[in-house]
Amino acid sequence: MRRTAIVMTIVLFTLFPSFSQSQGQFYSVSLAPSLYLSIPHFEDELPARTSAGFAASFDVLGYQTNRASASLGVQLGTVTPSIPFGSYRARGFTTIGLQMKGGWNITPVFSLSSQIGTEINIYKHIEEVFASFSFQIGPQFLFMENDEYQFFFTLPISLHLRKEITAIQVGVGFRYQYFPSPKQGQHL
């Protein structure tokens, strides 16, 4: 995890050198309930299993310019056990990980958001831990803002890669972005 955080920080400041002249630093919180579809890499009675998911992320280091934003943060989540098939039900799990987000403003109210992350996942009811990597992209719509905050409606689509399963997660969420030093009359 430590190595991943170092790599994400280096990438952030290498890819976005103009962030030293940013509009401002921000912190953000994102919440998104979702549908989680897991596709096993092994022979199974079902080609895919359906669960519900919930994700929360906290960006602790973020910067924004007129056209783009980037941030590093922590994500937490949970996935419920799958819908039963006969007497079998895939286990649910809890997840915690690091993430790096990027945002690109297309219009003053519409932007695209992307995220890469690495997670540690803990199965519920048994003592087993597994690692995963995730990629996320989706539109976000700004519907409230002032000099201190922005509030977005989001539609995240994620791909989770694990040793035995690939999962697709589709959600609907909200993102609150807070500027500790208020922007001075600048709007996206």
Side-chain angles (χ1 to χ4, degrees):
M1 289 285 259
R2 183 176 173 213
R3 216 178 295 164
T4 303
I6 291 169
V7 168
M8 287 179 160
T9 303
I10 290 169
V11 168
L12 176 70
F13 290 107
T14 303
L15 292 178
F16 300 105
S18 65
F19 277 71
S20 60
Q21 301 148 1
S22 66
Q23 281 186 342
Q25 178 187 2
F26 68 83
Y27 304 105
S28 74
V29 175
S30 300
L31 303 171
S34 60
L35 177 65
Y36 186 90
L37 181 70
S38 59
I39 304 162
H41 300 171
F42 52 86
E43 266 192 54
D44 198 1
E45 299 166 299
L46 288 176
R49 301 206 181 269
T50 305
S51 301
F54 182 79
S57 65
F58 307 92
D59 296 329
V60 294
L61 175 62
Y63 292 93
Q64 179 170 287
T65 68
N66 284 330
R67 298 294 299 159
S69 65
S71 62
L72 291 173
V74 175
Q75 62 183 4
L76 306 169
T78 187
V79 173
T80 65
S82 68
I83 295 171
F85 178 73
S87 62
Y88 179 76
R89 194 170 194 186
R91 295 178 292 257
F93 58 91
T94 302
T95 182
I96 183 169
L98 297 175
Q99 66 182 12
M100 183 171 70
K101 281 186 185 168
W104 295 270
N105 302 325
I106 309 232
T107 71
V109 296
F110 175 74
S111 59
L112 285 177
S113 176
S114 66
Q115 171 183 308
I116 60 171
T118 182
E119 303 87 29
I120 297 296
N121 306 279
I122 304 148
Y123 276 123
K124 297 173 181 173
H125 308 297
I126 63 169
E127 292 182 22
E128 190 174 335
V129 175
F130 59 93
S132 65
F133 297 93
S134 61
F135 304 92
Q136 183 182 96
I137 191 162
Q140 57 182 21
F141 303 90
L142 177 67
F143 67 90
M144 254 194 296
E145 79 171 329
N146 68 21
D147 291 342
E148 295 180 358
Y149 71 85
Q150 292 178 318
F151 200 60
F152 297 90
F153 172 71
T154 64
L155 297 167
I157 300 168
S158 305
L159 180 67
H160 299 267
L161 304 173
R162 306 174 15 197
K163 181 180 175 184
E164 298 176 342
I165 289 176
T166 297
I168 299 167
Q169 192 168 7
V170 178
V172 174
F174 296 95
R175 181 172 183 219
Y176 174 78
Q177 190 164 288
Y178 170 74
F179 299 93
S181 301
K183 301 183 298 177
Q184 299 175 0
Q186 296 179 359
H187 297 281
L188 295 177

